[in-house]
Amino acid sequence: MDDIAKSVPVIDIQWIRDWKKLRSSDSDHDDFVPSLPPVMATSAISSSSGAEILNRRFKDLPPEELQFDDEIARRREAEANVDIAPGFINSKYECLRPTPYEPKYNRKLVSLLLLLERKRHLDNEPKRSLSYRHAISAIKAYPREIQSSKEAEKIIGVGKKMAEKIKVFLHTGTIEEADKLRYDEQFRTLSLFSKVFGVGVTTARLWWDMGYRTLQEVLASAKLTAAVQLGIELFPDFDQSRGKTKNGDVDLIISSKRPDNMKGFLNKLTRRLIEKNYLKHKLWNSTEIKKISHLERPSAGARQVFDSFEKPSTGIRRQVDLICVQPDELGTAILGWTGSKQFERSIRDYAKKEKNLLLNSQAMHLEQNGKRKKYVVHSEKDAFDMIGIPYLEPELRNC
DNA sequence: GGGCAATACG
DNA sequence: CGTA
DNA sequence: GCCC
């Protein structure tokens, strides 16, 4: 367990230090292990008031910028069969190749495809959205500028229709459907709504259909669950639309060598955090209270998790997920909560289809003639080894 | 044509 | 079922 | 929307 703790990157921000202090002053829990995915420690100093943000409607929103708008040298489409780039791992399994957070090549193309993916997602077309996800991941990992649609179509995950869009892009420098979305009221409003914690595409569209166009209107008129109401109220704090590309969620995975110590641990912890004024009190008046008391039960093992919002001494708020796991779940838990989402889907897909290994964030099982045999995964590296794929640093899992 | 990750919680 |  |  110590090895794991050391191998996991830890963010150096104030509240982590506070946590350490808390930990060292609390001998009851001297063996709890914080584990963190690599998260950029950026934060927004909001210059706008919360009310102003909640009242924004689509025309007031900061422009839907392309992540990148490179001066693309228009590449000649005519000349055919460019070979696929050497060294590119051309597979439908994203987990087999490194994928950077910010690609060096094909950046505008990726930005445009991301808009189309989001559109499919907001239109509740999850399978099409997934297809775009696959193609985008492959292109992000592609080691040079794509020269022609013929070349693009050799990439597994890029089929006929997307190759056609890429062809247009290489000729005109854009993809019309995607470019239009940047100024599309419905698209941008649905995007805004679905950024609220607790709101997915169904709710976002419901609000749109009811005629709401700003979060303030929603807040004033719709009957909301306590959680969603809270999500809206906290939205300005978490707003990251200006100048910020990185999201600051933190997951803490907590485990103990003496699982009996963990009974009520989250409860005690949250009580202390409230005492120290790290937590936003409002939260605990809402639905979350149920979750906490629920976790108090001895609940014979497995996963315990809840989402919370923490207000560190800096005054900046972040979403923090606390996850308590059994010691033998630690490896798969870290792997499972580190992401990216697409990486998790990919590695689970590969494990099952290629190795008969069933993987989730609690365990890995080998399936052989109808029986399931459990394997204990001690670390991320362990998991990669057992599945038989090369280890990837977390910062290269941006599929 | 079938399948697309997998599971907990309200 | 919707969301994380 | 794409792969097998």
Side-chain angles (χ1 to χ4, degrees), chain A residues 92 94-95 130 133-134 137 339-347 397-399:
Chain A
K92 67 167 177 164
E94 290 95 343
C95 63
L130 178 59
R133 212 43 265 172
H134 285 306
S137 291
S340 65
K341 177 176 173 181
Q342 193 53 34
F343 176 83
E344 303 302 335
R345 300 165 84 166
S346 172
I347 193 171
R397 300 178 196 166
N398 297 291
C399 313

Side-chain angles (χ1 to χ4, degrees), chain A residues 158-183:
Chain A
V158 176
K160 267 210 140 175
K161 296 180 89 167
M162 275 191 246
E164 183 56 33
K165 293 180 202 297
I166 293 174
K167 182 174 187 170
V168 171
F169 170 74
L170 291 175
H171 277 87
T172 68
T174 193
I175 300 171
E176 193 181 8
E177 187 199 347
D179 207 44
K180 279 189 178 163
L181 290 174
R182 299 167 62 196
Y183 316 98

Side-chain angles (χ1 to χ4, degrees), chain A residues 58-110:
Chain A
F58 98 103
K59 62 176 168 46
D60 309 318
L61 291 171
E64 186 78 61
E65 286 173 32
L66 290 179
Q67 231 177 310
F68 298 100
D69 197 356
D70 307 339
E71 280 301 315
I72 66 148
R74 303 281 158 73
R75 279 144 268 181
R76 279 273 60 94
E77 172 62 24
E79 76 282 11
N81 295 336
V82 182
D83 266 348
I84 200 154
F88 174 66
I89 297 172
N90 199 7
S91 167
K92 67 167 177 164
Y93 297 115
E94 290 95 343
C95 63
L96 297 181
R97 65 187 169 229
T99 309
Y101 184 72
E102 293 198 347
K104 288 203 188 80
Y105 307 107
N106 305 296
R107 298 192 299 177
K108 184 176 182 184
L109 174 59
V110 166

Side-chain angles (χ1 to χ4, degrees), chain A residues 27-41:
Chain A
S27 52
D28 288 350
H29 304 296
D30 57 352
D31 53 356
F32 103 1
V33 181
S35 307
L36 301 169
V39 179
M40 324 312 149

Side-chain angles (χ1 to χ4, degrees), chain A residues 1-262:
Chain A
M1 230 158 44
D2 290 338
D3 289 346
I4 292 168
K6 278 180 218 144
S7 72
V8 173
V10 173
I11 320 175
D12 182 26
I13 56 179
Q14 185 57 44
W15 66 264
I16 288 285
R17 293 188 208 110
D18 294 342
W19 264 66
K20 287 182 179 164
K21 251 190 290 173
L22 178 67
R23 177 195 166 186
S24 57
S25 66
D26 184 357
S27 52
D28 288 350
H29 304 296
D30 57 352
D31 53 356
F32 103 1
V33 181
S35 307
L36 301 169
V39 179
M40 324 312 149
T42 58
S43 56
I45 309 303
S46 176
S47 52
S48 353
S49 74
E52 190 183 319
I53 288 170
L54 293 185
N55 275 310
R56 286 207 287 234
R57 60 188 66 241
F58 98 103
K59 62 176 168 46
D60 309 318
L61 291 171
E64 186 78 61
E65 286 173 32
L66 290 179
Q67 231 177 310
F68 298 100
D69 197 356
D70 307 339
E71 280 301 315
I72 66 148
R74 303 281 158 73
R75 279 144 268 181
R76 279 273 60 94
E77 172 62 24
E79 76 282 11
N81 295 336
V82 182
D83 266 348
I84 200 154
F88 174 66
I89 297 172
N90 199 7
S91 167
K92 67 167 177 164
Y93 297 115
E94 290 95 343
C95 63
L96 297 181
R97 65 187 169 229
T99 309
Y101 184 72
E102 293 198 347
K104 288 203 188 80
Y105 307 107
N106 305 296
R107 298 192 299 177
K108 184 176 182 184
L109 174 59
V110 166
S111 294
L112 293 165
L113 293 177
L114 280 168
L115 289 168
L116 294 178
E117 188 234 348
R118 197 157 101 216
K119 170 68 172 164
R120 306 295 183 268
H121 170 69
L122 293 170
D123 285 348
N124 200 16
E125 302 190 83
K127 301 306 155 64
R128 283 195 178 83
S129 172
L130 178 59
S131 271
Y132 277 92
R133 212 43 265 172
H134 285 306
I136 290 163
S137 291
I139 295 171
K140 280 175 73 178
Y142 202 66
R144 71 175 185 215
E145 299 288 345
I146 293 171
Q147 313 279 316
S148 72
S149 63
K150 290 270 176 56
E151 178 185 3
E153 211 174 336
K154 292 177 183 169
I155 299 173
I156 293 176
V158 176
K160 267 210 140 175
K161 296 180 89 167
M162 275 191 246
E164 183 56 33
K165 293 180 202 297
I166 293 174
K167 182 174 187 170
V168 171
F169 170 74
L170 291 175
H171 277 87
T172 68
T174 193
I175 300 171
E176 193 181 8
E177 187 199 347
D179 207 44
K180 279 189 178 163
L181 290 174
R182 299 167 62 196
Y183 316 98
D184 184 285
E185 176 174 16
Q186 178 181 265
F187 174 74
R188 298 192 54 185
T189 306
L190 292 176
S191 293
L192 172 72
F193 288 171
S194 62
K195 279 185 200 159
V196 174
F197 181 88
V199 176
V201 295
T202 304
T203 305
R205 188 165 292 274
L206 188 69
W207 290 349
W208 170 268
D209 288 342
M210 295 195 296
Y212 303 132
R213 295 296 179 266
T214 70
L215 289 173
Q216 189 57 56
E217 291 170 3
V218 173
L219 202 50
S221 324
K223 53 250 157 283
L224 304 169
T225 66
V228 170
Q229 182 167 339
L230 188 68
I232 296 180
E233 285 166 10
L234 286 171
F235 183 83
D237 286 337
F238 293 145
D239 181 41
Q240 45 190 261
S241 54
R242 286 143 308 124
K244 291 213 342 178
T245 55
K246 299 170 180 78
N247 125 12
D249 280 36
V250 175
D251 300 328
L252 285 175
I253 300 176
I254 302 164
S255 187
S256 170
K257 292 167 187 163
R258 293 171 289 165
D260 42 311
N261 276 3
M262 300 303 280

Side-chain angles (χ1 to χ4, degrees), chain A residues 310-349:
Chain A
E310 177 147 351
K311 181 181 189 300
S313 47
T314 55
I316 296 165
R317 292 187 199 165
R318 283 176 182 278
Q319 181 182 329
V320 180
D321 298 343
L322 304 176
I323 302 111
C324 286
V325 302
Q326 311 279 77
D328 67 350
E329 296 175 345
L330 203 43
T332 47
I334 293 172
L335 180 67
W337 285 89
T338 298
S340 65
K341 177 176 173 181
Q342 193 53 34
F343 176 83
E344 303 302 335
R345 300 165 84 166
S346 172
I347 193 171
R348 292 173 191 195
D349 195 23

